[in-house]
Amino acid sequence: MRQISFAVALNEALKEEMRRDPVVFVAGEDIGKMGGLFKVTQGLLEEFGAGRVLDTPISEAAIAGLGVGGALVGTRPVIEFQFLDFITIAMDQIINHAAKLRYMTGGMVSVPLVIRAPVCGGIGLGAQHSQSLEAWFVHVPGIKVVMPATPRDAKGLLKSAIRDDNPVLFLEHRRLYAATGEVPSGDHMVPLGTAEVKREGSDVTVVATGRTVSLALAAADRLSEQAIKIEVIDLRTLKPFDMQTISNSVGKTNRVVVVNDGWRTCGYAAEIVASIQSECFYDLDFPVQRVCNKDAPMPAAAALERSLMVSEEQIVAACSAAMSS
Amino acid sequence: MRQISFAVALNEALKEEMRRDPVVFVAGEDIGKMGGLFKVTQGLLEEFGAGRVLDTPISEAAIAGLGVGGALVGTRPVIEFQFLDFITIAMDQIINHAAKLRYMTGGMVSVPLVIRAPVCGGIGLGAQHSQSLEAWFVHVPGIKVVMPATPRDAKGLLKSAIRDDNPVLFLEHRRLYAATGEVPSGDHMVPLGTAEVKREGSDVTVVATGRTVSLALAAADRLSEQAIKIEVIDLRTLKPFDMQTISNSVGKTNRVVVVNDGWRTCGYAAEIVASIQSECFYDLDFPVQRVCNKDAPMPAAAALERSLMVSEEQIVAACSAAMSS
Amino acid sequence: MCLIRAFEREIHVLNKDGLVSGTAHLYIGMEAIAVGACAAMADGDFLTSTHRGHGHCIARHLDPARMMAEILGRSDGYCRGKGGSMHITDRSKGVLGADGIVGGGIPIAVGAAYGLRLMNKSSVVFCFFGEGASNQGSFHEALNLAAIQRLSVVFICENNQWALSAPFVATTAGGSVAKRAAAYGIVGEEVDGNDIDAVFAAATRAAGRAREGLGPALIECQSYRWEGHSIFTRQEIRQQEEIDDWKRRDPIERCRRKLIETQMASAEDLALIETEVGAEIARAAEFAKSSPNPDESSALEDIYA
Amino acid sequence: MCLIRAFEREIHVLNKDGLVSGTAHLYIGMEAIAVGACAAMADGDFLTSTHRGHGHCIARHLDPARMMAEILGRSDGYCRGKGGSMHITDRSKGVLGADGIVGGGIPIAVGAAYGLRLMNKSSVVFCFFGEGASNQGSFHEALNLAAIQRLSVVFICENNQWALSAPFVATTAGGSVAKRAAAYGIVGEEVDGNDIDAVFAAATRAAGRAREGLGPALIECQSYRWEGHSIFTRQEIRQQEEIDDWKRRDPIERCRRKLIETQMASAEDLALIETEVGAEIARAAEFAKSSPNPDESSALEDIYA
Ligand SMILES: Cc1ncc(C[n+]2csc(CCOP(=O)(O)OP(=O)(O)O)c2C)c(N)n1
Ligand SMILES: Cc1ncc(C[n+]2csc(CCOP(=O)(O)OP(=O)(O)O)c2C)c(N)n1
Ligand SMILES: [Mg+2]
Ligand SMILES: [Mg+2]
């Protein structure tokens, strides 16, 4: 099968959905002529024109309002925040409006809105350009949260997100854009809400999200040298998440490591740990391990940055610890 | 000892700290002449004048910036959001600035800022006036989070928050303002970061926050009729939280119920459950139970609202379940 | 206008009876704005409303009975009791929703106008907000975006002189919302918001320009709220004199006088209307009171994530 | 000005050598704004800066060596390597911090001015931001609050015509940032940002009025950035002609000519300055390159919650 990059996969998803449905439009900063900071919207302006590819002012609250209002009257906006960190300016529109309007109106309206944003550090941009705030959005009822790990899933999930009738936050790890992988051509869809076992194993379950999936797979390779068999689950959709796939795996392995590269405290991994301890309590032979970014703003200096981020080594160590008893 | 209300206790804390330290000032909407929607700032304008009691425009981002900038030059702002829901407009200032400036500058500056806001539903104001978003702030490194349950703690914790050199989010449950209790007069302080065992017991540990503490105490009363002895821990400070007090208790009871009236998924209780399962795994006889508000925006109708909120009955049921095995 | 006033008076009564679920912000004194502006709306136009939204809904011909049911938190309300006073919505009548967030509806109006243009509709979006909201960042971002994109939005600032306890001049620099239009290179106009004809004329002009593709306009309507900020926040810090002064400029009385003077209507015609309004409100209250509370199971409906 | 330019040129070189940690937004072409405005600052005054902040820091006499160390992520940097280019801060010199959030510093400047007044200081806060930032809600909220409170803030908009890939006219309705001042009833002034004397004069006037208690002012300085948006985002979508045109209006060349024409300085004097600047930058680069990387243990310092 052809190999394309994560960024190109997203770009294909946008193009295909925009061709399919004339009320899909994209809006954000520098997404038009420039094609977006990470090239995800490249070529859209040329193909679909300025009406459907809107270069906005630097006005994050208005961008979000554009999405909510556009969705309310029947279009399907795909808005972009240049970095997820900037969504902090638009939280009212997203949390108090996009996420609540369907419920608050007793189901009268819906908000088919996709919000795309790059997340995470690792490129030295410092504390205001490195946050992965998925836990916030998972916490608030009314918004689905998606985080693909591979080009294939990136394309299929984005297409599903655009066709979904409710708000979807679509998070793209900055260091994945250049990653390549096999992606079916044509109308390839991945449903929201389903995890995928990316590697089977019987000793330890690693539940991972986004870029940490590849770290987990690498860790699994290393551990296989010691004959430790790791099962790697890629959640893909963080909310609603696929508890069944997790439970099935834990029933087999009895040991779990949860990996997420947001902050640890009150982070996404905490929810997964809490759900596992509640649903799989009697299956567990060892405390569920959390491997997360350390609880600190992201420093600019590369060495410091690295020291705070989830690494393959930490996953290996956590799996080994889980096997120790 | 004299009995005063939660609102009066907060008011006393503000007055005393403003008398003690001339660089403490308060700012927010309707806090001056009106004394705040819940009367917490009553009388301050008269005593301290408009320079130190600022009625702001409806500009939440600017209110937060006022706090950050004021703190940076050496004053000690206490800003109020009329409802915590409105902080969504000011998240950039709070998360990207207040919480990060000390770290980002390598410790050069600090931000002695207190952010006060009422939280939670229960008075029919609907989905945009009922949120308890503590989980968001606990997730982000760089901000302390406090949630008192009694007038005594309200006063002592607010005074400590104002004297703290770092940003503190101080959350006041709307339905506690009128609650009365004993409050020492004079310079009564409660240190941040320490939980309090509000009732001792040996069968089940209930870890509670804010208003759910009184629900937990009521539940404990009911359960004592069945000779079930509940230990109730009031966390008081949600971050940094006092894990030692929790562990000590769990070591004794081996059964835990965590109660928080934010949303369940990725909520504050998830962190407590995850921490307990990691620190006290071998002490646990039964899965830690989470009792939280249900995952839905808050509806306006009273009956619906009630059905989503933590209740005494749910705590009783969770404790009974924990005793069942 | 009479219907709005009678509606709000009834909310007062229902509240005294402890029947209102939560809060309600009454529109009494400002009726000419909603009625004047909405009269300029065409089929297919939309509006965004505010926390003080009953007037806009009634002016858009929403059913007072279902509105009242919503305010009482009943299952026949527009939002099945889940919204309450601050979230009444009827998409089919172009009401995209009242809003509990001051300034929250402004960017949504802009988004709606953008979406409508994308679908090749010539509809106009009427965006109501208070003068207090004009100090929100959302006002600025939304007006700039609407202006630069020449979107069909009529921004209608209801300047009732107070934002909760805050007097206009103490919180709003420059002393004029209408003049802020110049910052965005759009038309700004100040009108007497108690003069229904003036409001209608300004709104009609603005909507007409928008339909010609000339972009948004900002209309500041000077008016006053007669009642306390809300039934939940009744503490009054305004001077009684000021309130009385504005009551003398009653928009309904003024309209009534004009209709009679210009012989558009007789006193009898008007009395008849009052009677009909009274009957409609009585029916509405009856309907609302007898509407059942929503079933608890509905609390978890419309949750998808 | 020369020091700023030489500094930025050196950053280019260091970046080519792969030494810059993260990104850097170069100030070349805009030097007259920072130097002209900061010359109007008095002891005890403060400034807030932007992502494109090196110029303000140097104009405030920060040490180029420690700045460079910060940009390289080294332990001798102002923020011990934790901030990088976008967060250089030196409170002791009144630099409250560069900022990675467009528009983020504007409300902070207002808060600082409020705090200073509370402490009975007559200090002025100089608030720098790009024309792109003038479309942020924070701009509106902050200017309104500063105006209504008559705070001592000089708002300095650096209009370099582009916000990343967005041309000024395509995103900023009304076509003028300075004119937005009228919305808040404050003085707004547009100056040639490549004319150091004009910037200095306007900033001095504004600061003087502020010190007299007359409140804030907004100065829009027209200028241009010669380089790409950042060393991280180099893709150029501007026309080469436009760039060349602005390069012909070089603020440094212009200042040089004027100094010589008015006999304020001789060509030799200026050459001497250039030489000194060159030496200082060389020293700075040497210092930065030899500064050690921060110790990993420091990554968890300054965490209190
Ligand atoms: C973002 C936000 N901030 C504050 C409030 C609380 N609040 C509700 S109405 C109101 C006053 C609004 O004034 P204005 O916009 O003039 O409308 P009016 O009530 O006068 O009709 C305030 C402060 C809110 N609902 N939302
Ligand atoms: C809130 C926010 N939105 C977007 C960005 C990304 N960004 C960084 S600089 C920039 C352009 C800023 O333009 P302007 O304010 O004119 O400053 P200039 O770069 O031209 O100096 C953008 C969009 C950001 N850093 N912060
Ligand atoms: Mg008002
Ligand atoms: Mg610019």
Side-chain angles (χ1 to χ4, degrees):
Chain A
M1 204 185 292
R2 75 204 176 112
Q3 300 247 345
I4 58 175
S5 76
F6 195 88
V8 170
L10 292 169
N11 185 259
E12 277 191 7
L14 289 171
K15 280 188 178 152
E16 289 173 17
E17 292 306 302
M18 289 178 78
R19 284 176 199 145
R20 190 186 54 79
D21 184 349
V23 298
V24 175
F25 73 94
V26 296
E29 295 159 16
D30 309 296
I31 64 156
K33 206 157 184 185
M34 197 167 181
L37 229 51
F38 300 100
K39 301 294 158 221
V40 173
T41 54
Q42 196 150 41
L44 299 185
L45 178 66
E46 292 72 11
E47 179 169 350
F48 302 102
R52 293 179 67 195
V53 184
L54 175 63
D55 263 329
T56 65
I58 309 176
S59 304
E60 278 80 7
I63 294 171
L66 191 75
V68 175
L72 283 178
V73 296
T75 57
R76 291 184 171 266
V78 180
I79 59 173
E80 172 179 313
F81 291 95
Q82 207 162 63
F83 289 83
L84 184 68
D85 310 69
F86 311 154
I87 208 170
T88 50
I89 300 175
M91 292 302 285
D92 168 58
Q93 282 298 326
I94 292 167
I95 295 310
N96 291 331
H97 294 88
K100 295 191 177 24
L101 280 165
R102 176 163 156 192
Y103 186 91
M104 282 198 306
T105 60
M108 185 194 297
V109 303
S110 63
V111 182
L113 168 66
V114 177
I115 303 164
R116 293 181 40 248
V119 294
C120 272
I123 52 173
L125 296 180
Q128 294 174 336
H129 286 70
S130 303
Q131 293 165 92
S132 199
L133 300 164
E134 58 268 28
W136 284 6
F137 300 89
V138 169
H139 182 49
V140 178
I143 182 159
K144 301 183 183 180
V145 182
V146 174
M147 194 188 263
T150 64
R152 179 170 57 89
D153 289 342
K155 178 169 178 184
L157 289 166
L158 183 53
K159 287 169 69 88
S160 294
I162 293 172
R163 296 190 200 178
D164 199 283
D165 283 336
N166 294 303
V168 180
L169 178 68
F170 193 93
L171 301 176
E172 305 162 5
H173 196 293
R174 195 133 348 118
R175 285 174 67 176
L176 285 178
Y177 284 120
T180 55
E182 293 191 344
V183 180
S185 40
D187 213 19
H188 156 69
M189 307 284 294
V190 174
L192 305 188
T194 60
E196 186 176 65
V197 176
K198 287 253 152 81
R199 176 189 179 119
E200 293 195 16
S202 50
D203 291 327
V204 181
T205 300
V206 176
V207 181
T209 62
R211 193 176 97 93
T212 68
V213 172
S214 64
L215 299 178
L217 290 169
D221 274 345
R222 287 231 319 247
L223 287 158
S224 72
E225 292 162 18
Q226 301 160 44
I228 300 177
K229 295 186 247 9
I230 304 293
E231 176 142 313
V232 177
I233 297 177
D234 173 4
L235 278 178
R236 303 199 294 194
T237 299
L238 307 192
K239 190 181 190 187
F241 65 89
D242 181 352
M243 191 62 206
Q244 192 58 54
T245 297
I246 299 176
S247 305
N248 291 348
S249 179
V250 177
K252 184 170 70 172
T253 61
N254 312 118
R255 287 151 206 281
V256 196
V257 174
V258 179
V259 193
N260 169 254
D261 51 4
W263 289 303
R264 174 187 175 100
T265 301
C266 241
Y268 184 66
E271 174 58 42
I272 301 301
V273 174
S275 293
I276 291 174
Q277 91 90 40
S278 138
E279 310 262 310
C280 317
F281 186 78
Y282 300 101
D283 283 333
L284 291 175
D285 288 346
F286 195 78
V288 183
Q289 304 290 299
R290 268 193 275 180
V291 179
C292 300
N293 278 9
K294 298 219 172 61
D295 284 334
M298 198 62 85
L304 300 185
E305 194 178 30
R306 224 170 11 246
S307 78
L308 296 180
M309 289 168 61
V310 171
S311 68
E312 188 185 316
E313 289 69 35
Q314 288 164 344
I315 302 174
V316 169
C319 292
S320 304
M323 289 297 289
S324 67
S325 82
Chain B
M1 204 186 291
R2 74 202 177 115
Q3 299 248 346
I4 59 175
S5 76
F6 195 89
V8 170
L10 292 170
N11 186 259
E12 277 191 6
L14 289 172
K15 281 187 177 151
E16 289 173 16
E17 293 306 302
M18 289 179 78
R19 284 175 199 145
R20 190 186 55 78
D21 184 350
V23 298
V24 175
F25 74 93
V26 296
E29 293 158 17
D30 309 297
I31 63 156
K33 206 158 185 185
M34 195 164 183
L37 229 53
F38 300 99
K39 300 296 158 221
V40 173
T41 53
Q42 197 150 40
L44 299 186
L45 178 65
E46 293 72 11
E47 179 171 349
F48 302 102
R52 293 180 67 194
V53 184
L54 176 63
D55 263 329
T56 65
I58 309 177
S59 305
E60 279 80 9
I63 295 171
L66 192 76
V68 176
L72 282 180
V73 297
T75 57
R76 290 184 171 268
V78 180
I79 60 173
E80 174 179 312
F81 291 95
Q82 207 160 64
F83 289 83
L84 185 68
D85 311 68
F86 310 154
I87 207 168
T88 50
I89 301 174
M91 292 303 284
D92 168 56
Q93 282 298 326
I94 292 166
I95 295 311
N96 291 331
H97 294 89
K100 294 190 178 21
L101 279 166
R102 177 163 156 191
Y103 186 91
M104 281 198 306
T105 60
M108 186 194 297
V109 303
S110 63
V111 182
L113 168 65
V114 176
I115 303 164
R116 292 182 41 248
V119 294
C120 272
I123 53 175
L125 296 181
Q128 294 174 336
H129 287 69
S130 303
Q131 294 165 91
S132 199
L133 299 165
E134 58 269 28
W136 284 6
F137 299 91
V138 170
H139 182 49
V140 178
I143 183 158
K144 300 182 182 181
V145 182
V146 173
M147 194 187 265
T150 64
R152 179 170 58 87
D153 289 342
K155 178 169 178 183
L157 289 167
L158 184 51
K159 287 168 69 86
S160 294
I162 293 172
R163 297 190 199 178
D164 200 281
D165 283 336
N166 295 302
V168 180
L169 178 69
F170 193 93
L171 301 176
E172 305 164 6
H173 196 293
R174 196 136 344 120
R175 288 175 66 175
L176 284 178
Y177 284 121
T180 55
E182 294 191 341
V183 180
S185 40
D187 212 18
H188 156 68
M189 308 283 295
V190 175
L192 305 188
T194 60
E196 187 175 64
V197 177
K198 288 254 152 73
R199 175 188 178 119
E200 292 196 15
S202 51
D203 289 330
V204 180
T205 300
V206 176
V207 181
T209 62
R211 193 177 97 94
T212 68
V213 172
S214 64
L215 301 177
L217 290 168
D221 274 348
R222 290 232 318 249
L223 287 159
S224 72
E225 293 161 17
Q226 301 162 42
I228 299 178
K229 296 186 248 6
I230 304 292
E231 175 142 313
V232 177
I233 297 177
D234 173 4
L235 277 181
R236 304 200 294 195
T237 299
L238 307 192
K239 189 180 189 188
F241 65 91
D242 182 353
M243 190 63 207
Q244 191 60 53
T245 297
I246 300 176
S247 306
N248 291 347
S249 179
V250 177
K252 185 169 70 173
T253 61
N254 313 118
R255 287 152 205 282
V256 197
V257 173
V258 179
V259 192
N260 170 255
D261 51 5
W263 289 302
R264 176 188 172 98
T265 300
C266 242
Y268 185 66
E271 174 58 41
I272 301 299
V273 174
S275 293
I276 291 174
Q277 91 90 40
S278 138
E279 310 261 310
C280 317
F281 187 77
Y282 299 103
D283 283 335
L284 291 173
D285 288 347
F286 195 77
V288 183
Q289 303 291 300
R290 268 193 276 181
V291 179
C292 302
N293 278 10
K294 297 219 172 62
D295 285 332
M298 198 62 86
L304 299 186
E305 194 179 29
R306 223 167 16 243
S307 79
L308 296 180
M309 289 168 61
V310 171
S311 69
E312 188 184 316
E313 289 68 36
Q314 288 165 344
I315 301 174
V316 169
C319 291
S320 304
M323 290 296 291
S324 67
S325 79
Chain C
M1 288 203 279
C2 298
L3 188 60
I4 296 174
R5 184 159 301 178
F7 183 91
E8 300 293 57
R9 292 246 150 93
E10 183 64 25
I11 299 297
H12 245 323
V13 174
L14 294 168
N15 184 48
K16 284 222 185 72
D17 296 345
L19 289 170
V20 172
S21 177
T23 190
H25 301 76
L26 303 185
Y27 199 71
I28 297 179
M30 299 159 64
E31 296 89 346
I33 307 176
V35 178
C38 289
M41 289 175 74
D43 271 3
D45 285 354
F46 285 91
L47 69 78
T48 61
S49 175
T50 68
H51 56 287
R52 198 177 300 288
H54 306 164
H56 313 131
C57 293
I58 292 178
R60 257 326 248 181
H61 311 300
L62 265 62
D63 177 359
R66 290 189 60 204
M67 285 176 60
M68 240 175 234
E70 186 60 40
I71 294 166
L72 268 47
R74 303 302 173 89
S75 59
D76 293 303
Y78 275 100
C79 308
R80 303 165 61 214
K82 286 180 172 173
S85 160
M86 284 193 287
H87 300 294
I88 299 176
T89 303
D90 186 357
R91 202 182 170 294
S92 71
K93 296 234 168 89
V95 176
L96 288 178
D99 203 322
I101 301 295
V102 170
I106 314 179
I108 294 178
V110 173
Y114 194 84
L116 290 164
R117 184 169 68 187
L118 197 71
M119 296 184 296
N120 294 314
K121 306 254 167 81
S122 63
S123 312
V124 174
V125 182
F126 287 64
C127 172
F128 292 94
F129 56 94
E131 87 293 343
S134 77
N135 295 324
Q136 286 285 30
S138 61
F139 165 88
H140 177 68
E141 296 191 8
L143 266 80
N144 181 60
L145 182 57
I148 206 82
Q149 282 290 321
R150 287 184 173 249
L151 294 173
S152 294
V153 186
V154 179
F155 295 101
I156 300 165
C157 176
E158 308 187 310
N159 187 343
N160 60 9
Q161 317 307 320
W162 291 81
L164 228 163
S165 75
F168 179 57
V169 288
T171 46
T172 317
S176 162
V177 178
K179 288 204 178 119
R180 290 185 173 180
Y184 316 104
I186 63 172
V187 175
E189 196 174 339
E190 187 179 321
V191 301
D192 180 344
N194 284 1
D195 178 349
I196 187 171
D197 297 322
V199 174
F200 173 70
T204 304
R205 272 194 304 275
R209 274 193 309 266
R211 277 185 238 282
E212 283 168 40
L214 297 175
L218 170 59
I219 303 173
E220 179 180 8
C221 304
Q222 300 292 348
S223 186
Y224 202 77
R225 64 168 156 78
W226 289 12
E227 303 297 319
H229 171 70
S230 73
I231 61 172
F232 172 83
T233 316
R234 297 197 50 78
Q235 185 194 357
E236 190 54 83
I237 67 160
R238 300 174 303 175
Q239 301 286 329
Q240 191 57 45
E241 272 173 49
E242 181 183 287
I243 300 175
D244 291 342
D245 186 43
W246 278 93
K247 281 193 177 171
R248 280 189 292 272
R249 301 188 232 166
D250 182 357
I252 296 186
E253 235 345 271
R254 182 159 162 185
C255 176
R256 193 191 311 271
R257 270 202 313 273
K258 190 159 172 190
L259 287 174
I260 293 178
E261 276 166 22
T262 57
Q263 300 189 332
M264 303 267 290
S266 69
E268 293 73 44
D269 295 341
L270 297 176
L272 193 64
I273 290 176
E274 293 273 4
T275 313
E276 282 170 13
V277 160
E280 176 156 9
I281 292 298
R283 261 196 312 276
E286 218 34 68
F287 174 85
K289 284 191 255 188
S290 60
S291 171
N293 282 318
D295 192 88
E296 265 192 31
S297 67
S298 74
L300 291 174
E301 281 171 15
D302 290 311
I303 303 284
Y304 42 84
Chain D
M1 291 203 279
C2 297
L3 188 60
I4 297 175
R5 183 158 304 177
F7 184 92
E8 299 293 56
R9 292 248 150 94
E10 182 65 25
I11 299 297
H12 244 324
V13 174
L14 294 168
N15 184 48
K16 286 222 184 74
D17 296 345
L19 290 170
V20 171
S21 178
T23 189
H25 301 77
L26 303 185
Y27 199 69
I28 297 179
M30 299 160 65
E31 296 89 347
I33 307 176
V35 178
C38 289
M41 291 176 72
D43 271 2
D45 285 355
F46 284 91
L47 68 79
T48 61
S49 175
T50 68
H51 57 287
R52 197 177 302 288
H54 305 165
H56 314 131
C57 293
I58 293 179
R60 256 330 246 181
H61 311 302
L62 266 62
D63 177 358
R66 291 188 60 202
M67 287 177 59
M68 240 176 234
E70 187 60 40
I71 295 166
L72 267 49
R74 304 301 173 90
S75 58
D76 293 303
Y78 274 100
C79 306
R80 301 165 63 213
K82 286 180 172 173
S85 161
M86 283 193 287
H87 301 295
I88 299 177
T89 303
D90 186 357
R91 202 182 171 293
S92 70
K93 294 234 169 90
V95 176
L96 287 176
D99 204 322
I101 302 294
V102 170
I106 315 181
I108 295 178
V110 174
Y114 194 84
L116 290 165
R117 183 168 71 188
L118 197 72
M119 295 186 294
N120 295 312
K121 305 256 167 80
S122 63
S123 312
V124 174
V125 182
F126 287 64
C127 173
F128 292 94
F129 55 94
E131 87 293 342
S134 77
N135 296 324
Q136 285 285 29
S138 62
F139 166 89
H140 177 68
E141 296 193 8
L143 266 80
N144 181 60
L145 182 57
I148 206 82
Q149 283 289 321
R150 287 185 174 249
L151 294 174
S152 295
V153 185
V154 179
F155 294 101
I156 300 165
C157 176
E158 307 186 311
N159 187 343
N160 59 10
Q161 317 306 324
W162 290 82
L164 228 165
S165 75
F168 179 58
V169 289
T171 46
T172 317
S176 161
V177 177
K179 288 204 179 120
R180 290 184 172 181
Y184 315 104
I186 63 172
V187 174
E189 198 176 335
E190 187 180 321
V191 300
D192 179 345
N194 284 1
D195 178 349
I196 186 170
D197 297 322
V199 175
F200 174 69
T204 304
R205 273 194 303 276
R209 275 193 308 265
R211 275 184 240 281
E212 283 169 39
L214 297 176
L218 170 59
I219 303 172
E220 179 181 6
C221 304
Q222 300 293 348
S223 187
Y224 201 77
R225 65 167 156 79
W226 289 14
E227 304 297 320
H229 172 68
S230 74
I231 59 172
F232 173 82
T233 317
R234 298 196 50 77
Q235 186 193 355
E236 189 54 82
I237 67 160
R238 301 173 304 175
Q239 301 287 327
Q240 191 57 42
E241 272 173 49
E242 182 183 287
I243 301 175
D244 292 341
D245 186 43
W246 277 94
K247 281 194 179 174
R248 279 189 290 273
R249 301 189 234 166
D250 180 0
I252 296 187
E253 230 354 85
R254 181 160 163 181
C255 176
R256 193 192 310 271
R257 268 201 314 273
K258 190 161 171 188
L259 287 175
I260 292 177
E261 274 165 22
T262 57
Q263 300 188 334
M264 303 267 290
S266 67
E268 293 74 43
D269 295 342
L270 297 176
L272 193 64
I273 292 177
E274 293 274 4
T275 312
E276 281 169 14
V277 160
E280 177 156 9
I281 293 299
R283 260 195 314 275
E286 216 35 65
F287 174 86
K289 283 191 254 187
S290 61
S291 171
N293 281 319
D295 192 89
E296 265 194 29
S297 67
S298 75
L300 290 173
E301 282 172 16
D302 291 311
I303 304 285
Y304 42 85

